[in-house]
Amino acid sequence: MLLTIDVGNTNITLGVYDNDKLSGTFRMTTKQKRTSDEYGFTICSILEHGGIDSKQIKAVIIASVVPDIMHSLTNAIVKYFGIKPVVVSAGIKTGLRIVTENPKEIGPDRIVDAVAGYELYGGPVIVVDYGTATTYDLIGPNGTFEAGITAPGIETAARSLWGGTAMLPAIEIKKPKSILAKETISSMQAGLVFGAVGETEYIIRKIKEESGYENIKVVATGGLGKIIADETDSIDIYNPELTLQGLRLIYNKNKR
C-alpha cells in the first residue's frame, strides 16, 4: 500500500492507496507542534482506527508547504514505517514543464494538483484549489505549467472578517438561503460564499480570455470547493481527492 501525505497550512491529509484504489482518507491538524514520535504514533493510530494495518504500508510520498515540520515528519516515517519517503521537491519527475519566470517558486501542492489535473482530465486545464489560499493554475495542452493566481482562501477571509472586527461573530461557512440577508450571520455567509463565487467566475473568465485556449476544462478541489462548485457553471469537475491522486501519480513516475 502507498501512503500519500499532503501537508497544508491548516491540515495534514493522509490517503492510503491499494494499487490505484483509494482505501481511506484521514485528516490531522498541521499547526500543533509534534515530535517525530508523536507524528509516528498519531499516524499509525489513525490508520489502525480506519481499519488499515500500518505494516501494509510499503511506500510513502509527501508534499508539504510547511517546511518547519518536515524534519519530525520524515523521521517519523522512517522510524515507524521503516520507509524513506519520497518528498515532492525540485528535481522530482512530474511530467510537467514549468514555464513561469521562477519555477522554484511554485509550491509542491500546486505541482501535485497540476499533475493530477493534467493526467486525469487532459490539457488545457485550469485547476482551482480552495485551501488556506485559493489558487488557480493554468496547465497547457502539452503539460506546461503556464501561470498561477493566488487569492485569500475562504476560511482565511472569514477569520480575518471576524478576527478584525469587534462585533462580528465566528460563523459556519455555508450558502445562506438568499443573498438578500436580513441578519448578521447570513449576511456574512452571503458575502463569503457569493463573493468567492464571483471571484471564481471572474478569474476563470480572464484566464480563458488571456490564454486564448478553447474548450478548456476547469477542475476544482479543496474542502470548501464543493460549495462553490455547486453555485457556478464555471467549474466543470469537483474532485475532493485531486491532490492525493496527484501524489499517487507522481510516486508512480519516480518509483524504482
Side-chain angles (χ1 to χ4, degrees), residues 2 5 74-75 77 116 125 129 137:
L2 170 67
I5 304 178
T74 53
N75 282 346
I77 299 302
V125 61
D129 191 339
D137 294 322

Side-chain angles (χ1 to χ4, degrees), residues 68 99 102 127 137 144 150 162 173-174 187 201 206 240:
D68 290 350
V99 295
N102 191 346
V127 178
D137 294 322
T144 52
T150 307
W162 63 64
I173 301 173
K174 66 177 185 178
S187 76
E201 293 180 340
K206 291 297 289 183

Side-chain angles (χ1 to χ4, degrees), residues 80-138:
Y80 282 79
F81 293 88
I83 296 167
K84 183 178 179 181
V86 175
V87 178
V88 179
S89 58
I92 198 169
K93 296 177 184 176
T94 63
L96 293 180
R97 186 166 61 90
I98 302 174
V99 295
T100 57
E101 288 188 6
N102 191 346
K104 292 182 179 179
E105 289 182 348
I106 306 300
D109 55 334
R110 300 177 81 152
I111 297 296
V112 170
D113 283 347
V115 168
Y118 180 73
E119 294 275 350
L120 297 177
Y121 305 106
V125 61
I126 298 169
V127 178
V128 189
D129 191 339
Y130 295 92
T132 305
T134 299
T135 57
Y136 304 79
D137 294 322
L138 173 64

Side-chain angles (χ1 to χ4, degrees), residues 1-2 15-26 50-52:
M1 288 184 170
L2 170 67
V16 178
Y17 280 92
D18 187 356
N19 293 319
D20 293 343
K21 180 184 176 183
L22 183 62
S23 299
T25 60
F26 313 92
I52 296 171

Side-chain angles (χ1 to χ4, degrees), residues 48-256:
E48 298 289 346
H49 186 73
I52 296 171
D53 183 356
S54 59
K55 293 184 178 63
Q56 297 301 310
I57 301 297
K58 303 301 181 186
V60 180
I61 183 168
I62 304 171
S64 173
V65 296
V66 187
D68 290 350
I69 77 165
M70 287 300 291
H71 179 74
S72 293
L73 180 58
T74 53
N75 282 346
I77 299 302
V78 172
K79 182 174 180 179
Y80 282 79
F81 293 88
I83 296 167
K84 183 178 179 181
V86 175
V87 178
V88 179
S89 58
I92 198 169
K93 296 177 184 176
T94 63
L96 293 180
R97 186 166 61 90
I98 302 174
V99 295
T100 57
E101 288 188 6
N102 191 346
K104 292 182 179 179
E105 289 182 348
I106 306 300
D109 55 334
R110 300 177 81 152
I111 297 296
V112 170
D113 283 347
V115 168
Y118 180 73
E119 294 275 350
L120 297 177
Y121 305 106
V125 61
I126 298 169
V127 178
V128 189
D129 191 339
Y130 295 92
T132 305
T134 299
T135 57
Y136 304 79
D137 294 322
L138 173 64
I139 299 90
N142 298 315
T144 52
F145 189 109
E146 299 187 4
I149 298 93
T150 307
I154 302 170
E155 288 188 22
T156 302
R159 287 194 297 271
S160 176
L161 187 62
W162 63 64
T165 53
M167 298 184 66
L168 294 180
I171 61 167
E172 178 187 3
I173 301 173
K174 66 177 185 178
K175 177 191 171 186
K177 292 181 180 179
S178 170
I179 198 170
L180 303 177
K182 300 184 185 302
E183 41 72 36
T184 299
I185 291 177
S186 61
S187 76
M188 294 170 68
Q189 290 170 334
L192 289 165
V193 173
F194 294 117
V197 171
E199 172 196 288
T200 295
E201 293 180 340
Y202 182 80
I203 289 179
I204 288 172
R205 185 169 74 248
K206 291 297 289 183
I207 292 174
K208 290 180 176 180
E209 179 185 306
E210 294 195 20
S211 69
Y213 289 132
E214 297 180 2
N215 302 319
I216 189 169
K217 301 179 189 69
V218 180
V219 181
T221 192
L224 293 173
K226 184 68 165 61
I227 299 174
I228 309 305
D230 286 345
E231 295 301 314
T232 177
D233 293 332
S234 295
I235 294 173
D236 300 308
I237 300 160
Y238 173 70
N239 183 343
E241 279 91 40
L242 190 74
T243 306
L244 299 180
Q245 290 173 323
L247 283 166
R248 176 182 61 82
L249 291 165
I250 291 174
Y251 174 77
N252 287 338
K253 292 176 184 294
N254 289 271
K255 68 180 179 180
R256 291 185 178 88

